[in-house]
Amino acid sequence: MRTVNAYAAPSATEPLVPTTIERRDVGPKDVLIAIRYAGVCHSDIHTVRGGWGPITYPQVVGHEIVGEVVEVGTAVTRHAVGDRVGVGCMVNSCRECENCRAGMENYCLEGNIQTYAGRDVDGTITQGGYSTHVVVDEDFVLRVPDAIPYEAAAPLLCAGITTYSPLAHWNAGPGKRVAVVGMGGLGHLAVKIAAAMGAEVTVLSRTLAKKDDGLAFGATDYFATEDDATFEALANRFDLIVNTVSAPLDLDRYLRLLRLDGTMVNVGAPPEPLPVTVFTLFGNRRSFAGSGIGSIAETQEMLDFCAEHGIAPETELIAAEQINDAYERVLSSDVRYRFVIDTATL
């Protein structure tokens, strides 16, 4: 076992604090990663504050991880010491179910093993990237292209793949009209990626406060959803709507913006149920769907796509002692657009 520095939540109501955790010895198929940067995701806050159900404390979160390989197991073939790598939201899966065998371990029927707050194969609770080192099976470690700025790469491992996957699956590209709901950590990447795919992109945000950013990231239109006229002007317009907001919305209003056979897909994850009127779906044969993260193969595809198209998240680098303040700023939407922890400060 290796003891490493980390920042952990002691409970659902207390601030995160410095601590130490143990990482397992490097097994034959394992990679030891010295973490350089860790992104702060809204999911981290939901998890440690009990928004998605009870967890075991103390808990170290963080599933947007980039660093370098410092040790490999005897059977490792995919990675070598010195490689620049990343780890996203999962660190293992059953490998045997229908979905895993199809290369979709993100939808493992047994439930993939999450990077934090999951139960590992040895029965321990997984601890995430707000730490200096992590040990991960090589099959769940990604190669981070040199073309992506090191300090900005981490959010791609969650926010990047969470938006890339539905855009790729629903064929965003030339001739398609795509709306992105919300211009936060997820939304700003959805705009960049959809525009790079060749789609016509519209941002639907509560206000016009971030309009200049949205247009600079590749959107062609930007509308305020607090203005009722927006929903009249955009009725029956979009092929795909990607909702990045983790709060309740009046889904019927947004579904009516879909054209024939259009789809609205949720990637934001509000804890509350979201009611939908079936008759709204009948109109234009609309679909309402959800999408989680992507597979390991798709995540690598996303990283390579971002490197090719010069896409990187907009980030604000913080020290470990700023994590609790960063959480409050995330909750008040006071970040453009993703916090990244410099783990050297741990």
Side-chain angles (χ1 to χ4, degrees):
M1 287 287 194
R2 173 190 299 264
T3 300
V4 305
N5 292 337
Y7 244 71
S11 73
T13 57
E14 297 174 87
L16 277 65
V17 296
T19 188
T20 59
I21 57 174
E22 290 187 334
R23 295 300 193 187
R24 68 175 183 265
D25 291 334
V26 175
K29 289 274 289 176
D30 284 338
V31 173
L32 172 63
I33 300 167
I35 300 172
R36 301 305 183 204
Y37 301 100
V40 175
C41 179
H42 206 151
S43 300
D44 303 344
I45 304 173
H46 281 304
T47 298
V48 299
R49 297 191 175 180
W52 289 341
I55 63 169
T56 300
Y57 297 96
Q59 179 64 63
V60 176
V61 292
H63 55 203
E64 299 178 341
I65 300 168
V66 295
E68 63 188 49
V69 177
V70 292
E71 185 180 342
V72 298
T74 56
V76 169
T77 60
R78 296 187 178 190
H79 308 284
V81 171
D83 285 357
R84 194 166 79 157
V85 296
V87 178
C89 300
M90 57 181 169
V91 291
N92 216 325
S93 70
C94 81
R95 320 277 187 114
E96 297 176 352
C97 71
E98 179 182 5
N99 290 356
C100 282
R101 286 186 281 106
M104 299 296 288
E105 60 281 325
N106 50 316
Y107 295 119
C108 175
L109 296 175
E110 299 298 321
N112 62 64
I113 297 176
Q114 296 286 287
T115 302
Y116 60 72
R119 189 163 297 278
D120 214 340
V121 292
D122 61 1
T124 60
I125 302 300
T126 54
Q127 304 290 336
Y130 296 8
S131 57
T132 60
H133 294 76
V134 66
V135 178
V136 181
D137 184 291
E138 69 163 337
D139 293 339
F140 288 80
V141 176
L142 288 305
R143 175 184 52 81
V144 178
D146 291 338
I148 300 174
Y150 207 7
E151 69 280 1
L156 293 174
L157 278 303
C158 173
I161 185 57
T162 297
T163 51
Y164 179 90
S165 185
L167 289 168
H169 180 76
W170 276 278
N171 300 311
K176 293 294 184 70
R177 291 176 172 175
V178 174
V180 175
V181 182
M183 256 285 287
L186 288 170
H188 89 287
L189 279 171
V191 172
K192 289 187 176 189
I193 292 169
M197 289 177 169
E200 178 187 303
V201 184
T202 298
V203 177
L204 303 176
S205 187
R206 189 174 61 83
T207 72
L208 298 179
K210 300 176 183 177
K211 180 176 180 178
D212 289 346
D213 284 355
L215 298 179
F217 297 156
T220 54
D221 285 305
Y222 199 111
F223 288 85
T225 57
E226 66 179 8
D227 183 353
D228 289 341
T230 290
F231 294 91
E232 297 175 10
L234 301 179
N236 306 306
R237 178 178 180 85
F238 300 109
D239 300 287
L240 177 65
I241 300 174
V242 178
N243 178 24
T244 70
V245 176
S246 291
L249 294 178
D250 183 346
L251 292 183
D252 288 306
R253 297 190 85 194
Y254 290 87
L255 287 166
R256 293 188 190 103
L257 305 184
L258 293 170
R259 64 189 304 185
L260 181 64
D261 288 328
T263 299
M264 178 173 177
V265 56
N266 248 61
V267 296
E272 306 92 339
L274 299 177
V276 176
T277 303
V278 173
F279 284 100
T280 305
L281 299 177
F282 289 170
N284 267 347
R285 198 163 56 193
R286 303 176 177 108
S287 297
F288 178 58
S291 178
I293 57 171
S295 67
I296 293 298
E298 189 175 41
T299 305
Q300 189 63 63
E301 177 185 295
M302 176 275 303
L303 289 169
D304 294 340
F305 178 89
C306 289
E308 178 184 353
H309 292 273
I311 295 172
E314 305 296 317
T315 59
E316 181 177 333
L317 194 64
I318 61 171
E321 61 265 25
Q322 297 173 278
I323 291 174
N324 291 298
D325 288 339
Y327 274 24
E328 297 309 313
R329 288 180 57 192
V330 169
L331 294 173
S332 61
S333 300
D334 179 26
V335 55
R336 294 194 179 184
Y337 283 87
R338 205 73 164 184
F339 287 114
V340 174
I341 303 162
D342 180 353
T343 59
T345 61
L346 289 168

